[in-house]
Amino acid sequence: MSKKVYAAIELADQEVRLIVMEIFEGRSNILRVEQAACSGIQNGKVLDEAAVVTAVREATKSAQAALGYRIERVILIIPSVNVKRNSQRVHVQIEDGTKTVRQFHIQQGYQKAIQKRMGEDVEYVNPNRITYIVNDSESKKLPKGEECTDFYMNVDLLYADKQTIYEYAKCIEQANLEILDVCLDVYAAGQETAALQQSFDRSVVLLLIEAGHTSLGLFMNEKLMSVARIDKGYGWIVEPLKEKYGLSNEICYRLLQNIFSSREEENSDVIVYIEQKEEERIEISAAELAKATLPRFKEYIAEINAACEPIVRNGKTRFIITGKGSNIPVLKEFEDSFCAETIVYDITTIGARDGAFVAGLGAAYVWQETNRIRNDDRISVNNNELEESIDAINRRTKDGDGGFTKKMKSVILADKD
């Protein structure tokens, strides 16, 4: 089957996110996205396993109902906690007398590299960057078919917190899903935003803003070099409003999307939120919203600048803002407040134009890149059901049943009462 369908799932702050993507002839199409609220995850920690499992099942069930086939395995996105790197050069000898590099030779080198241990508290997750040296020529391209008696692989690997991986994987498995692969959220976001590619001639700091925290990924020389974390996200910015009025996380997030200007004096007294409770009526104006949150925006940015100042001082640097927090419009007005050139990344993929899905989109790219070596033909959904779904669509298209043109004709030509 030429069509490949992959599902990526992220256990993020306060919600579970699922994205289902079809890869066909080198092009990708978003088939379905789901977001299920979940109080069982806070700041990258699983606090209520049962709640997480329920949310995973809810998101999966909803996607399956819409798609018409079962999701059996997923790419699991994990928070970038305790990230470590290891670089090594692997020597691969071609001992079968063919003097030709084949797929299994590359797999041998890869397997040898990932056997390297980096401590009892971390596990290998993703290849950061791999290059091949054949006949004294270095390239990122797989050297299949090259003639030589041996070659080298420069392999840079990423490791992540073992306990976090196991906690997240347990939730997925208890939801009766297999794990196709594991991917770091910051590394996946670096793929989608092209932070990896942009780091060829500069330092790139990726800000992945979530509700309870912000991950800062440093990319240099087309590699993820390190990840730091600040225990403040967009949830911290609206804390004063949440505490004063007892508002939910979801309402507070929506309120952040109604800040009209980064200048307090430019926000009017127009009411942007009304709620009638049993004993009180809540009314919040644009001016009050700005007064409560804009100082926190500025404090948040100052903390980011302080953390990144040594990086900026050492050379050309760019900040890329993404994650669910990047959906807050006023952030674009704060781009000049950061200590280096800054852009808020806009996802343009049809069907997933939401910063919350940046890691899900990137995880599919990471899997495809890694799978060039692994050559794993598994997909995320049930093969037989997928084929039946495609056949059914082809039959309807051939017969004209359910087609858009036929539906329009039936509307236009229908007899009037």
Short mmCIF file of all heavy atoms in Angstrom, two decimals, residues 14 63 187 282 385:
data_model
loop_
_atom_site.label_atom_id
_atom_site.label_comp_id
_atom_site.label_asym_id
_atom_site.label_seq_id
_atom_site.Cartn_x
_atom_site.Cartn_y
_atom_site.Cartn_z
N GLN A 14 -2.66 19.68 30.76
CA GLN A 14 -4.11 19.84 30.84
C GLN A 14 -4.89 19.23 29.67
O GLN A 14 -6.11 19.36 29.63
CB GLN A 14 -4.49 21.34 30.96
CG GLN A 14 -3.86 22.02 32.16
CD GLN A 14 -4.10 23.51 32.21
OE1 GLN A 14 -4.77 24.06 31.33
NE2 GLN A 14 -3.55 24.16 33.20
N ALA A 63 -11.55 10.02 17.02
CA ALA A 63 -10.86 10.00 15.73
C ALA A 63 -11.26 8.78 14.91
O ALA A 63 -11.51 8.88 13.70
CB ALA A 63 -9.35 10.02 15.94
N TYR A 187 12.34 18.38 20.08
CA TYR A 187 12.98 17.94 18.84
C TYR A 187 11.97 17.87 17.70
O TYR A 187 12.25 18.29 16.58
CB TYR A 187 13.64 16.58 19.05
CG TYR A 187 14.45 16.11 17.86
CD1 TYR A 187 15.58 16.79 17.45
CD2 TYR A 187 14.06 14.97 17.15
CE1 TYR A 187 16.32 16.37 16.36
CE2 TYR A 187 14.80 14.54 16.06
CZ TYR A 187 15.94 15.24 15.67
OH TYR A 187 16.66 14.82 14.58
N ILE A 282 -19.91 38.14 37.00
CA ILE A 282 -18.52 38.47 36.65
C ILE A 282 -18.51 39.22 35.33
O ILE A 282 -19.08 38.77 34.34
CB ILE A 282 -17.66 37.20 36.54
CG1 ILE A 282 -17.61 36.46 37.87
CG2 ILE A 282 -16.25 37.55 36.06
CD1 ILE A 282 -16.92 35.12 37.80
N GLU A 385 -8.82 -2.44 7.50
CA GLU A 385 -9.88 -1.43 7.58
C GLU A 385 -9.53 -0.20 6.74
O GLU A 385 -10.42 0.43 6.14
CB GLU A 385 -10.13 -1.05 9.03
CG GLU A 385 -10.72 -2.20 9.85
CD GLU A 385 -10.83 -1.87 11.32
OE1 GLU A 385 -10.50 -0.72 11.70
OE2 GLU A 385 -11.25 -2.75 12.11
#
